[in-house]
Amino acid sequence: MADVARIMASGRLITLEGGEGTGKSTQAARLAQGLAADGLEVVATREPGGSPGAEAIRDLLVRGAADRWSAASEALLLYAARRDHIERLIAPALERGAIVVCDRFADSTRAYQGVAAEGPMDLIAALEALVLKGVQPDLTLILDLPAKTGLARAAGRKGIETRFETKGVAFHQKLREAFLAIAKAEPERCVIIDAQPPIEDVAAAIWTVVTGRLRLSK
């Protein structure tokens, strides 16, 4: 992987985080489309996934019984996927000056496996340092929604990637608290976005934050 300082100086990494049903995927897509419409090169991606190898690992993580993996095993799988994602997609895009919009990144591992699942935070911190090697978001948008509301929204989606949604309200309440704690600890990077209003209103709030914070231009 090329020199991290050079990579991060040339491109921008925007991540969207939050619990289930907060609308991250929808808002990530809308943001990427809006930035591209302004003539910017945008790479829209997601985690777990984003590269062929990482997508294969995603299938292991998001399907099956809630207790299929321990928190430590999940973290190891996620960081294997994340390393491949960075090497094959994120780092090359940043190096050529693109804006990368990523639906989830390292904060999700801290929140899901570290706090909500009460996993080994020392292991997660070590993996983060080893795998990211300084590749950090320029801006993280944390979409916030009450846990029960988010789960109700998520229940209305069709699909088979429901493993984390089955972990129960208590898990998801801890998850929400974890994301809010991350935002409080890193206000220079993170912005909390109220995900309860209509999609268009949430998108407008995100656009205001992104254009104001990053001052993007061609």
Side-chain angles (χ1 to χ4, degrees):
M1 193 162 61
D3 178 72
V4 168
R6 180 161 57 85
I7 289 172
M8 296 305 293
S10 56
R12 300 290 182 90
L13 175 58
I14 303 171
T15 57
L16 286 84
E17 298 280 9
E20 303 299 322
T22 55
K24 293 178 293 56
S25 300
T26 297
Q27 295 300 335
R30 291 180 70 112
L31 175 60
Q33 290 166 4
L35 293 169
D38 273 1
L40 299 164
E41 181 189 357
V42 182
V43 174
T45 188
R46 69 175 183 176
E47 288 206 348
S51 65
E55 288 291 335
I57 295 173
R58 178 187 179 90
D59 286 343
L60 298 175
L61 285 160
V62 300
R63 302 181 186 185
D67 61 354
R68 182 180 187 184
W69 306 104
S70 69
S73 296
E74 287 177 355
L76 290 165
L77 287 167
L78 284 160
Y79 268 100
R82 187 163 293 134
R83 180 65 182 183
D84 192 69
H85 189 203
I86 290 172
E87 288 180 347
R88 297 180 185 275
L89 183 73
I90 293 176
L94 293 174
E95 187 172 15
R96 66 176 183 265
I99 300 169
V100 178
V101 177
C102 191
D103 179 358
R104 295 201 184 285
F105 197 60
D107 291 317
S108 278
T109 307
R110 294 186 201 172
Y112 275 78
Q113 285 70 41
V115 177
E118 301 179 354
M121 291 298 295
D122 55 346
L123 171 64
I124 292 170
L127 288 168
E128 185 172 315
L130 177 67
V131 171
L132 300 189
K133 293 186 180 298
V135 176
Q136 296 287 347
D138 295 280
L139 176 63
T140 296
L141 304 161
I142 295 179
L143 276 65
D144 179 56
L145 199 63
K148 289 184 177 179
T149 304
L151 287 173
R153 285 187 182 180
R157 300 185 305 214
K158 294 182 179 179
I160 57 176
E161 296 185 347
T162 59
R163 180 169 169 263
F164 287 101
E165 294 166 20
T166 64
K167 287 182 176 284
V169 175
F171 176 93
H172 289 278
Q173 180 57 39
K174 287 196 292 183
L175 184 62
R176 183 191 188 194
E177 293 167 0
F179 279 121
L180 293 176
I182 290 170
K184 183 177 181 179
E186 301 185 54
E188 71 287 348
R189 173 175 69 87
C190 301
V191 177
I192 298 170
I193 302 291
D194 183 1
Q196 293 193 81
I199 290 173
E200 293 76 12
D201 293 348
V202 176
I206 287 173
W207 187 258
T208 298
V209 170
V210 170
T211 55
R213 286 256 184 151
L214 298 185
R215 302 183 184 280
L216 299 172
S217 61
K218 290 189 287 184

